Amino acid sequence: MKYRPAVVAAAASVALLAVTPAAGAAEGGLDSLPACTDVSTAFGDYEQRDLKASLDITADELVPGGDWTPAKGSVTNLGRRDLPEVSVRAYPWLQTDDPEFQDMTKFVKVEVRAADGAWQPVNGREIAASVPLPSGRTHSYDLRIRVIKDVPAGLGGSEFDFTGAFEDVYRYPDTGKEVKCLGTAPGYDAVRIRRATTAPEPTPSSARPTPTASQASPTPTSTPSSAHPTASPSTTASASASATSTTSAAPVPASVPSATGGELAATGGSDATLPLAAAAGGLAVLGAAAVVFARRRRG
């Protein structure tokens, strides 16, 4: 959040600058003047165009108990007249209905660097600096901001006013009467308060149901499916082929060549077929000899 209505900013700034006299400010100075917006309340036509204020905090988040965060505040004279005295204030606050948190100076600390380089605390109710500002010139202020360690847990952030003020004159439109009053230029920025968060613990069940790719790949590839299935059918086929060749060759011995076994190899036969064929031939010869022997005895 980097913006808010200008009316709210102006009202808050005027209240700050008009309520309490600044420490070290001379009597009859800027803080003794009424706010120009209050003087012109009946007419509501006051608007200054001479002074512009801005605030830039380098970090968007502040950590409770953390180190100082740099910030830069500046006021610029946009008018044609020189401003003999311009004061500025830095004030952390919160737009809330809870009065405890409307004034954030208890929890958010602000310091400004003085001319001698030392850091001076700014509590929002004292002038941080008061300098002359010629026409067209800008004056900058080095600030630093931090959040205390014991900030309430319910606070999520803080808003900052960096307000410039100068002596102005309001002229009543009905009478022409002139009244010296305090003109203000609100600058604004805001920060969040970062809370420490605990990283969620990983759930142990996430690794169990679904194996990773490296774990899943060895399951199908590690089984020796390529060796066993091919070896079993080839052995069975050769055995069945041998049995077929043996049974078919037994009744027809003439089909088995005695000089070569190439035809058996081509048909899947085995070398055991040759002894079987020779045995069948021997039985046939013995049978023929037995017939001849029987005939001779009868004769």
Side-chain angles (χ1 to χ4, degrees), residues 92-98 101-104 155-159:
W93 66 288
L94 192 61
Q95 188 171 354
T96 176
D97 294 333
D98 191 338
F101 300 135
Q102 290 175 355
D103 182 359
M104 291 287 290
L155 288 179
S158 178
E159 300 173 82

Side-chain angles (χ1 to χ4, degrees), residues 256-262 274:
V256 181
S258 58
T260 177
L274 295 176

